[in-house]
Amino acid sequence: MASILTDSRPALSSLSEQERMFQEAVRDFATSEIAPRVMDMDQAQQMDPGLVSQLFELGLMGVEIPESYGGTGADFFTSVLVVEELSKVDPSVGVLVDVQNTLVINALLRWANDEQKSRWFPRLATDTVGAYALSEAGSGSDAFALSCRATQDGDGWRLRGQKLWITNGKEAGLFIVFASVDPGAGYKGITAFVVEKGADGFTVGKKEDKLGIRASSTCELLFEDVHVGPEDVLGEVGKGYKVAIETLNEGRIGIGAQMIGLAQGALDHTVRYVQEREQFGRAIGSFQGVQFQLAEMATEIEAARLLVYNAARLKDAGEPFLVQAAMAKLYASEMAQRVASRCIDLHGGYGFTKEYPVEKLYRDAKIGTIYEGTSNMQKQTIAKVILK
Ligand SMILES: Cc1cc2nc3c(=O)[nH]c(=O)nc-3n(C[C@H](O)[C@H](O)[C@H](O)COP(=O)(O)OP(=O)(O)OC[C@H]3O[C@@H](n4cnc5c(N)ncnc54)[C@H](O)[C@@H]3O)c2cc1C
């Protein structure tokens, strides 16, 4: 029996040598390559394609893909570290990488068969961006009320319908698409398919003009009798609801990571600013009122980070993490809004302009409480568990 004295577990925020090296490499890349492009990409509402190629070269687009398929072969926690580091500099880049790793690759790791893994993993690890298409105009929080249909056609299906709000829609080459093979069966008709860009009848439609994460593409997808074969079904027919639920449970830890990165980025800018900006003949950071605000923000970020890291480590350990993931996403996204807002306050009028990066981070923070389940939906998940 392991004694209490010998069973030494590291603190949640202790990183292994490999995790630390990965974190530092991503931090260096974000500072040198992403930071100079952030404002232009935000203004142009366009992810720099050169940057996407670099993300592939660094192995950040296939963090959990086994090395035998050309991936990085790391764990889920490493994906979380990557998303956090990228989001300190640009949450748009953070979400591109997040969807690729914590939704698309995660779904394939769990549900794809060996033939499908051989077909899709080498591409996702080297040059193909993925997207995850569940939401529709009429079904968001009530995701299983979707109306996209898959009608049997020989041994395959024809997909018909529309998806809305799909992250990476513009850049993606592979799309996980949820549609019902039997609307009468309710959620038990929902099936996950993988659709290739360029498939006959498949169009990427309008790109949304958004408040924040503007360099991240958010698109409508249109399916007009798009043929999918049995080899394109992810998991079992009628079990798409399980694919969706289980992937999103993991994905929302990634959104938590995006939000702690964003908040830390905003705080880092603010710590520098308050030491430079003088009023009343002193740096504003020398006033206790300002120092207390910094201390409160740092504490909130650390609390959110521990929630996110704990959920990710539980996932890697194969232990239940549903409620911890919901709490992590809920708290981190609400926290990021408070922190980004306060960082603007501490920049005074300058914070309200595009000259300082906190303005963009404040706009970017708003999405955290909406996608991958709104704050109310996270509360519903948590309440269900504590009331049972
Ligand atoms: C930028 C962006 C990127 C996105 N990326 C993707 C993506 O890649 N793939 C994808 O599939 N989807 C994506 N989405 C969609 C996103 O997940 C949905 O917008 C989200 O789930 C909310 O759904 P909705 O917009 O339909 O809002 P609604 O579900 O209509 O919710 C509106 C409000 O009502 C509240 N509400 C609804 N039902 C209840 C209830 N039962 N109890 C209490 N409150 C309730 C909500 O909390 C919210 O405040 C994205 C959205 C955005 C904006």
Side-chain angles (χ1 to χ4, degrees):
M1 194 177 87
S3 88
I4 289 175
L5 291 175
T6 54
D7 186 14
S8 68
R9 292 167 195 230
L12 282 174
S13 52
S14 317
L15 302 185
S16 69
E17 191 52 31
Q18 201 195 357
E19 287 165 349
R20 200 180 353 267
M21 279 168 53
F22 216 90
Q23 185 191 48
E24 280 167 17
V26 180
R27 190 174 294 168
D28 289 348
F29 169 73
T31 313
S32 60
E33 298 296 325
I34 303 177
R37 310 186 210 192
V38 173
M39 288 316 282
D40 287 346
M41 294 198 302
D42 186 64
Q43 220 124 43
Q45 302 186 65
Q46 165 77 50
M47 188 66 63
D48 185 331
L51 204 53
V52 179
S53 305
Q54 286 177 292
L55 293 168
F56 278 108
E57 281 160 26
L58 280 173
L60 306 186
M61 296 298 272
V63 176
E64 278 190 273
I65 294 180
E67 286 171 291
S68 54
Y69 294 109
T72 303
D75 56 9
F76 184 77
F77 184 78
T78 306
S79 302
V80 158
L81 283 182
V82 168
V83 173
E84 179 187 357
E85 285 307 314
L86 295 173
S87 303
K88 280 182 189 169
V89 174
D90 192 348
S92 288
V93 180
V95 75
L96 179 130
V97 171
D98 175 67
V99 167
Q100 177 88 355
N101 287 291
T102 75
L103 289 182
V104 176
I105 290 170
N106 220 348
L108 298 182
L109 275 170
R110 184 185 293 231
W111 301 96
N113 58 36
D114 287 346
E115 181 279 321
Q116 293 173 324
K117 285 180 182 168
S118 308
R119 201 153 32 111
W120 295 320
F121 275 161
R123 293 173 57 196
L124 287 164
T126 51
D127 61 7
T128 304
V129 175
Y132 186 88
L134 176 64
S135 304
E136 299 179 1
S139 77
S141 300
D142 189 9
F144 296 156
L146 55 79
S147 63
C148 226
R149 279 293 312 267
T151 311
Q152 190 87 43
D153 179 21
D155 66 347
W157 292 265
R158 294 209 166 268
L159 290 183
R160 194 169 244 293
Q162 177 232 31
K163 294 285 172 186
L164 204 61
W165 313 116
I166 307 310
T167 300
N168 296 348
K170 190 158 172 271
E171 297 82 12
L174 281 180
F175 297 75
I176 297 179
V177 179
F178 294 86
S180 178
V181 295
D182 180 6
Y187 71 90
K188 289 188 175 165
I190 295 173
T191 305
F193 299 94
V194 176
V195 180
E196 299 257 355
K197 179 182 181 162
D200 275 353
F202 173 36
T203 330
V204 177
K206 177 176 156 252
K207 191 175 96 164
E208 302 297 334
D209 183 359
K210 308 192 298 292
L211 170 73
I213 55 164
R214 287 167 64 79
S216 160
S217 65
T218 310
C219 302
E220 173 193 37
L221 308 180
L222 301 155
F223 301 91
E224 286 181 48
D225 292 330
V226 178
H227 174 76
V228 277
E231 68 282 6
D232 302 317
V233 174
L234 186 59
E236 287 173 49
V237 173
K239 293 279 168 59
Y241 70 95
K242 272 184 84 116
V243 177
I245 289 174
E246 294 186 14
T247 323
L248 286 168
N249 285 342
E250 293 159 11
R252 57 183 58 116
I253 305 174
I255 300 305
Q258 183 198 27
M259 292 294 125
I260 55 177
L262 183 157
Q264 187 66 58
L267 180 61
D268 292 347
H269 290 300
T270 306
V271 167
R272 273 192 298 274
Y273 183 79
V274 298
Q275 293 178 89
E276 288 161 10
R277 172 72 175 170
E278 292 190 358
Q279 289 292 279
F280 302 97
R282 294 157 57 179
I284 57 172
S286 69
F287 296 117
Q288 195 180 56
V290 170
Q291 290 173 358
F292 281 9
Q293 287 182 297
L294 298 175
E296 281 171 10
M297 289 192 283
T299 307
E300 282 206 57
I301 295 170
E302 184 66 2
R305 181 174 290 119
L306 295 179
L307 282 170
V308 170
Y309 284 12
N310 185 46
R313 294 231 191 254
L314 285 171
K315 194 249 168 220
D316 278 334
E319 291 181 37
F321 62 89
L322 169 74
V323 76
Q324 288 83 1
M327 287 174 174
K329 200 263 185 186
L330 170 67
Y331 185 77
S333 56
E334 302 273 346
M335 173 284 294
Q337 289 186 20
R338 285 193 296 275
V339 166
S341 171
R342 209 174 239 194
C343 286
I344 297 215
D345 292 337
L346 288 176
H347 278 73
Y350 295 107
F352 202 61
T353 72
K354 293 190 187 298
E355 247 177 83
Y356 284 82
V358 288
E359 180 267 347
K360 174 185 180 292
L361 292 171
Y362 175 72
R363 287 188 282 107
D364 289 351
K366 193 62 229 170
I367 191 58
T369 58
I370 298 172
Y371 59 13
E372 295 203 30
T374 64
S375 285
N376 278 358
M377 292 299 107
Q378 307 310 322
K379 288 175 193 170
Q380 203 177 73
T381 300
I382 298 161
K384 232 187 246 172
V385 172
I386 60 178
L387 285 169
K388 87 170 173 206

